[in-house]
Amino acid sequence: MSKKRGLSLEEKREKMLQIFYESQDFFLVYFWSLPSCAGNQLRNVYRKLESDVQSSERRLVELADQCNALKKGREESDEREEALSNLKKVEEKYNELKDEMAEYADNDPAAFEAMRDAISVAHAAANRWTDNIFTLRQWCSNNFPEAKEQLEHMYQEVGITDDLDYLEMPTGGN
């Protein structure tokens, strides 16, 4: 049995170039064999662009007509100038009144009632949480009697002191 002799470097180079040129010829033949495909694609793109241009031109005409229609009745005249002046005065008066109402917003009965309701809800929530704290302290004392000092120290650290109590609803005179 004899060993099969491999290709030399020069033979490998020639083979690679031959494959390259043959494949290039193949692609050139393939490209030139389908010219109608590329032409069809270009024609389709051209048609689409043409239709886009036509629709844009139609839209431009429509907008120009609409602009001209809106200009009717807005021609410069003394009557129009007077109407615009009156409109500006009314807008200024509206803004002044709006600012004045904002100043009185604190005295609005509806806002005052909403604030009173919010205070009532906050008061109930604060007392509910106070009750939860008392319940938790009692539960911890009952279940961990040996850790009473550690629990008291922890309560002090988080701000739960002996003077913690329920909130009283303030009574205000109207």
Side-chain angles (χ1 to χ4, degrees):
M1 288 203 248
S2 68
K3 278 188 165 179
K4 214 175 193 184
R5 183 172 90 64
L7 297 174
S8 71
L9 183 60
E10 186 62 31
E11 291 170 330
K12 288 179 187 176
R13 185 176 159 280
E14 287 176 14
K15 266 294 196 208
M16 292 290 283
L17 287 173
Q18 180 184 3
I19 292 171
F20 173 73
Y21 289 127
E22 286 174 2
S23 64
Q24 190 176 20
D25 288 342
F26 168 75
F27 288 119
L28 287 173
V29 168
Y30 177 76
F31 176 77
W32 289 112
S33 68
L34 300 172
S36 63
C37 180
N40 286 338
Q41 288 176 342
L42 288 175
R43 278 189 287 282
N44 288 338
V45 169
Y46 177 77
R47 285 186 197 119
K48 182 181 182 328
L49 292 174
E50 277 291 321
S51 70
D52 288 349
V53 166
Q54 289 174 356
S55 66
S56 295
E57 287 173 349
R58 281 193 304 268
R59 178 77 174 136
L60 176 64
V61 169
E62 289 172 7
L63 291 174
D65 291 343
Q66 186 179 10
C67 183
N68 289 334
L70 291 174
K71 284 183 181 179
K72 288 182 183 173
R74 294 185 182 185
E75 294 85 13
E76 294 297 323
S77 68
D78 293 336
E79 185 179 316
R80 178 169 163 62
E81 291 297 322
E82 185 179 337
L84 287 174
S85 173
N86 287 339
L87 176 64
K88 189 170 185 171
K89 288 177 187 174
V90 168
E91 286 176 344
E92 288 173 0
K93 182 68 174 172
Y94 169 77
N95 288 332
E96 287 175 17
L97 291 174
K98 193 167 117 179
D99 292 342
E100 186 177 342
M101 282 190 64
E103 291 175 15
Y104 295 121
D106 292 341
N107 298 327
D108 182 21
F112 185 72
E113 191 61 35
M115 197 179 317
R116 182 179 287 170
D117 292 343
I119 289 171
S120 177
V121 169
H123 177 261
N127 282 336
R128 187 171 43 253
W129 278 100
T130 303
D131 192 42
N132 289 345
I133 291 170
F134 288 147
T135 303
L136 181 64
R137 283 181 72 173
Q138 184 66 36
W139 183 85
C140 288
S141 295
N142 290 342
N143 289 320
F144 307 107
E146 66 279 353
K148 182 177 181 182
E149 289 178 15
Q150 292 169 334
L151 288 171
E152 288 299 324
H153 179 68
M154 182 189 68
Y155 297 148
Q156 294 295 325
E157 282 182 2
V158 296
I160 301 173
T161 59
D162 291 335
D163 62 349
L164 178 69
D165 203 2
Y166 293 99
L167 293 177
E168 294 296 322
M169 186 68 137
T171 56
N174 288 29

